[in-house]
Amino acid sequence: MDRLRASEYWTDARSLEWARYLIYSQFDTIDLTYMRKVAAEEDPKLAARLEQEYQWVTDHMFN
């Protein structure tokens, strides 16, 4: 979540890369329900960023 926050709020490209890598590396064990809850409670834009990057990893890292 920290890397997603940095990529969303500070437009930090390196944090975006790390967020994607961490989602990918923990894909089978990530608690997506918890992450969605935290992001939605914090900021709808952060929740949208989480969904966007989760989808990016699904589309680009497993094909």
Side-chain angles (χ1 to χ4, degrees):
M1 292 302 299
D2 180 63
R3 297 299 85 209
L4 284 173
R5 286 181 188 102
S7 69
E8 179 62 30
Y9 302 133
W10 296 286
T11 318
D12 183 1
R14 188 76 172 131
S15 290
L16 178 58
E17 292 174 15
W18 269 105
R20 289 174 175 172
Y21 169 76
L22 290 167
I23 292 169
Y24 172 72
S25 69
Q26 302 300 312
F27 199 83
D28 292 335
T29 59
I30 196 169
D31 189 346
L32 191 57
T33 301
Y34 171 77
M35 290 181 69
R36 284 177 169 149
K37 179 180 181 279
V38 168
E41 289 173 355
E42 185 172 326
D43 184 353
K45 289 181 3 179
L46 183 61
R49 171 67 77 165
L50 170 60
E51 296 304 324
Q52 177 183 341
E53 300 315 327
Y54 187 83
Q55 189 61 51
W56 188 95
V57 169
T58 301
D59 292 346
H60 293 90
M61 302 299 282
F62 293 105
N63 292 328

